[in-house]
């Protein structure tokens, strides 16, 4: 990761959940860091553990979850924090925008109630002041007639407008970190671009750090400084967005090759064969080995550690540019 002070640090995070009466690993030794004001894109196929990583940061895991490792925010350990203090961080310092805004807003209350409630009840701001601030923020996210919108109910707004309201709600408490989990996936293509531009602009204007979760490698590269690629509950590569074409891990390279806009002009598109595995389905070796065109014997028996490779880090015994030092295979982890 970067050498600068990180606002968010996720260290050796290992999470198990109970499903079908069995305990299952869903996150395997995840390390991430986001410096203040920077954006990290968390990319991977469905089930790779992106949303659960964000939920662990917020302390919003299902009952029975066991968490090992640590999440630190601005030097404070969120994993060791009392629930009340964690709620305080969630309502003031870390904001979240989800995929489906309608699932996160009370349909019978007005947009004004939704936006001002927190300011009025937990911060003691007068209602008229809170409404003026909410209307101004709606303007910032491209909703011109804010005062009228405050009186409307969610059903009166399109999905794109409602997602802008959610972005305004996220900004209201002037947080320092935004967790955006597939914030544009449920919208049509034109609205997706508009909403993404608003997130990008407001984030940059405010110096807000962001963890941006998406399936879309190209989108992540367009709005984030660095990319972390997840596979089967682990981070398999982490690198600057501008160096994606030089990625070291075969999975990142396969994701690139499956994208029309990243493969390069005239490049043949290649779908990734096989299905992605969940963390609990993996064996002792590399989780990607069954789908990897470059897999060798070592890959099926030894778990690869995340080690410096190219311009970032990769968890691969045989990265695209071989490591100069003794073979990475010899330095594999023992905790697979
Ligand atoms: N409440 C839960 N109980 C048990 N297992 C769960 C629960 N939520 C998620 N999982 C499992 O954890 C793994 C990671 O899920 P997660 O939702 O983090 O993936 P994701 O990368 O965000 O996928 P998507 O892009 O589809 O949202 C999956 O195998 C999923 O089935």
């Amino acid at each position: 990761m970067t050498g600068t002070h990180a606002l968010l640090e996720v260290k050796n995070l290992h999470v198990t959940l109970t499903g079908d009466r069995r305990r299952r690993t869903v996150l395997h030794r995840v390390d991430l860091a986001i410096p203040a004001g920077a954006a990290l894109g968390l990319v991977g196929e469905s089930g790779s553990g992106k949303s659960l990583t964000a939920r662990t940061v917020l302390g919003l895991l299902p009952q029975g979850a066991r968490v090992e490792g640590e999440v630190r925010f601005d030097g404070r350990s969120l994993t060791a924090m009392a629930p009340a203090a964690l709620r305080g961080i969630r309502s003031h310092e870390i904001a979240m925008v989800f995929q489906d805004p309608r699932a996160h807003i009370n349909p019978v209350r007005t947009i004004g109630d939704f936006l001002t409630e927190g300011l009025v009840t937990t911060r003691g701001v007068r209602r008229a002041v809170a409404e003026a601030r909410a209307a101004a923020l709606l303007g910032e996210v491209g909703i011109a007639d804010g005062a009228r919108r405050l009186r409307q109910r969610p059903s009166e707004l399109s999905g794109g407008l409602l997602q802008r309201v959610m972005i305004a709600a996220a900004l209201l408490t002037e947080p320092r970190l935004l967790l955006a989990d597939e914030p544009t996936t449920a919208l049509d293509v034109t609205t997706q671009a508009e909403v993404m531009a608003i997130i990008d602009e407001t984030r940059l204007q405010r110096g807000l750090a962001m963890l941006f979760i998406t399936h879309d490698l190209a989108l992540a590269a367009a709005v984030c400084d660095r990319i972390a690629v997840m596979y089967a509950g682990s981070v398999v590569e982490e690198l600057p967005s501008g160096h994606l074409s030089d990625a070291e891990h075969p999975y990142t390279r396969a994701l690139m090759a499956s994208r029309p806009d990243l493969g390069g002009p005239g490049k043949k598109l290649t779908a990734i064969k096989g299905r992605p595995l969940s963390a609990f389905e993996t064996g002792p070796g590399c989780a990607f080995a069954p789908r990897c065109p470059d897999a060798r014997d070592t890959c099926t028996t030894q778990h690869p550690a995340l080690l410096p490779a190219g311009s970032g880090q990769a968890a691969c015994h045989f990265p695209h540019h071989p490591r100069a030092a003794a073979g990475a295979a010899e330095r594999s982890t023992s905790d697979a």
Side-chain angles (χ1 to χ4, degrees), residues 17-19 26 45-53 62 182 215 278 280:
L17 299 179
T18 41
V26 284
E45 287 166 286
S46 202
S48 56
K50 306 180 298 294
S51 296
L52 283 176
T53 301
E182 304 265 8
H215 292 97
S278 295
F280 60 84

Side-chain angles (χ1 to χ4, degrees), residues 191-212:
T191 315
Q192 273 183 2
E194 288 167 5
V195 168
M196 204 57 238
I198 286 163
I199 292 176
D200 195 34
E201 278 162 29
T202 48
R203 184 189 85 73
L204 289 170
Q205 275 164 10
R206 289 160 180 265
L208 199 61
M210 175 166 76
L211 179 66
F212 178 62

Side-chain angles (χ1 to χ4, degrees), residues 23-134:
R23 185 153 287 282
R24 288 173 157 175
T25 296
V26 284
L27 295 181
H28 183 78
R29 311 288 168 209
V30 171
D31 284 301
L32 297 171
I34 309 180
L40 177 73
L42 196 56
V43 180
E45 287 166 286
S46 202
S48 56
K50 306 180 298 294
S51 296
L52 283 176
T53 301
R55 289 192 166 277
T56 312
V57 168
L58 290 167
L60 293 176
L61 287 171
Q63 227 182 356
R66 260 189 228 145
V67 178
E68 288 169 36
E70 193 176 30
V71 177
R72 293 182 80 79
F73 178 73
D74 199 20
R76 290 164 287 173
S77 174
L78 300 188
T79 27
M81 199 171 268
L86 190 55
R87 274 198 296 279
I89 300 256
R90 274 207 301 269
S91 52
H92 299 307
E93 297 187 68
I94 305 180
M96 185 124 190
V97 177
F98 297 94
Q99 180 175 328
D100 178 8
R102 288 194 204 281
H104 298 274
I105 190 164
N106 185 336
V108 300
R109 307 200 59 204
T110 64
I111 301 298
D113 286 339
F114 171 68
L115 285 174
T116 58
E117 195 164 46
L119 289 178
V120 173
T121 57
T122 66
R123 291 213 171 169
V125 177
R126 281 195 298 121
R127 179 162 293 281
V129 174
E131 283 185 357
R133 199 190 297 176

